[in-house]
Amino acid sequence: LTANNLVYRAINVSQLNLQASNQRGKVEISRLTASAVEGDFSLPGSLDVTGKKVLAAVNPVINHMQLGPVLLAAGLPQMMTGKFSMKAQLSGDGITVDAFNHRWQGDAQLSMNNARLEGLNIQQLIQQAVTRSSSDVKGQDRYERYTEVKQLQANLALHRGAMKVSNLIADSALISIKGNGSLNLPAQQC
């Protein structure tokens, strides 16, 4: 199947190329490539629809796509924007966003360029802490409601809605961050 243009969850997708075979409910997707939100992706995998639940396994490769529209399409808050690339090995039962957020597992390597952590200004938090402890330092009168990150890398491990973030490295002109953390996809918390 090829398609020049289509829309999936409000995302314009172009140059779609799908090659798949179905052998009595066991679907092998040998090729699923397309361009979307300023980047491109490859999504080979398999589906097993022979039982009561759809079992899926995918190995996505995403190159330089805008993250904000992807999060919006997945029903997640746009807590981060910027161009991202990712390689992953994921599997689970069900092929809906809700199934992914609750019943999928796998590992991924993520990198981003020119990212923005929306609603959190780390520089502001540091400056405000310093100004409270020293009268010699003054903070800015107005702060942006985001943190700009020039480059970001992290490893992700998903298990039924709980995502562990490890080896997080983020750099920008004013800040360098290293660490680990976790995300709760169903509760939309981090």
Side-chain angles (χ1 to χ4, degrees), residues 51-128:
K52 290 184 178 182
K53 294 183 179 180
V54 175
L55 301 176
V58 294
N59 296 309
V61 176
I62 298 169
N63 296 305
H64 312 292
M65 288 177 58
Q66 288 291 343
L67 181 60
V70 174
L71 291 174
L72 190 62
L76 295 170
Q78 291 185 332
M79 61 185 201
M80 186 180 290
T81 58
K83 285 194 174 186
F84 81 108
S85 296
M86 181 179 79
K87 289 183 181 180
Q89 304 81 36
L90 303 166
S91 62
D93 68 80
I95 55 173
T96 64
V97 171
D98 187 60
F100 179 83
N101 288 340
H102 289 87
R103 300 189 306 270
W104 277 58
Q105 56 273 336
D107 297 306
Q109 298 79 42
L110 172 77
S111 64
M112 292 192 70
N113 292 322
N114 301 318
R116 285 172 79 168
L117 302 171
E118 302 293 341
L120 175 66
N121 188 321
I122 296 171
Q123 177 188 352
Q124 175 187 359
L125 294 175
I126 294 168
Q127 286 180 344
Q128 287 177 339

Side-chain angles (χ1 to χ4, degrees), residues 1-186:
L1 171 70
T2 60
N4 288 335
N5 295 294
L6 65 94
V7 177
Y8 176 76
R9 294 184 176 253
I11 293 178
N12 293 320
V13 178
S14 63
Q15 306 306 314
L16 177 77
N17 185 328
L18 168 65
Q19 295 176 7
S21 66
N22 181 356
Q23 301 299 319
R24 296 184 180 174
K26 292 189 177 182
V27 179
E28 288 296 323
I29 303 168
S30 58
R31 180 181 176 103
L32 174 53
T33 59
S35 296
V37 286
E38 301 178 31
D40 61 79
F41 65 89
S42 171
L43 192 62
S46 63
L47 297 171
D48 184 341
V49 297
T50 59
K52 290 184 178 182
K53 294 183 179 180
V54 175
L55 301 176
V58 294
N59 296 309
V61 176
I62 298 169
N63 296 305
H64 312 292
M65 288 177 58
Q66 288 291 343
L67 181 60
V70 174
L71 291 174
L72 190 62
L76 295 170
Q78 291 185 332
M79 61 185 201
M80 186 180 290
T81 58
K83 285 194 174 186
F84 81 108
S85 296
M86 181 179 79
K87 289 183 181 180
Q89 304 81 36
L90 303 166
S91 62
D93 68 80
I95 55 173
T96 64
V97 171
D98 187 60
F100 179 83
N101 288 340
H102 289 87
R103 300 189 306 270
W104 277 58
Q105 56 273 336
D107 297 306
Q109 298 79 42
L110 172 77
S111 64
M112 292 192 70
N113 292 322
N114 301 318
R116 285 172 79 168
L117 302 171
E118 302 293 341
L120 175 66
N121 188 321
I122 296 171
Q123 177 188 352
Q124 175 187 359
L125 294 175
I126 294 168
Q127 286 180 344
Q128 287 177 339
V130 171
T131 58
R132 280 194 292 270
S133 65
S134 173
S135 60
D136 295 335
V137 178
K138 293 199 174 216
Q140 298 176 12
D141 292 332
R142 185 177 177 280
Y143 291 94
E144 298 296 337
R145 299 208 55 204
Y146 57 83
T147 299
E148 289 183 334
V149 178
K150 187 171 182 163
Q151 293 183 324
L152 179 143
Q153 294 180 345
N155 294 328
L156 310 172
L158 176 65
H159 183 73
R160 299 186 176 270
M163 184 179 295
K164 289 185 180 180
V165 180
S166 61
N167 301 319
L168 173 69
I169 299 170
D171 291 304
S172 70
L174 298 173
I175 196 162
S176 179
I177 301 170
K178 293 182 181 180
N180 303 305
S182 62
L183 302 168
N184 182 326
L185 297 181

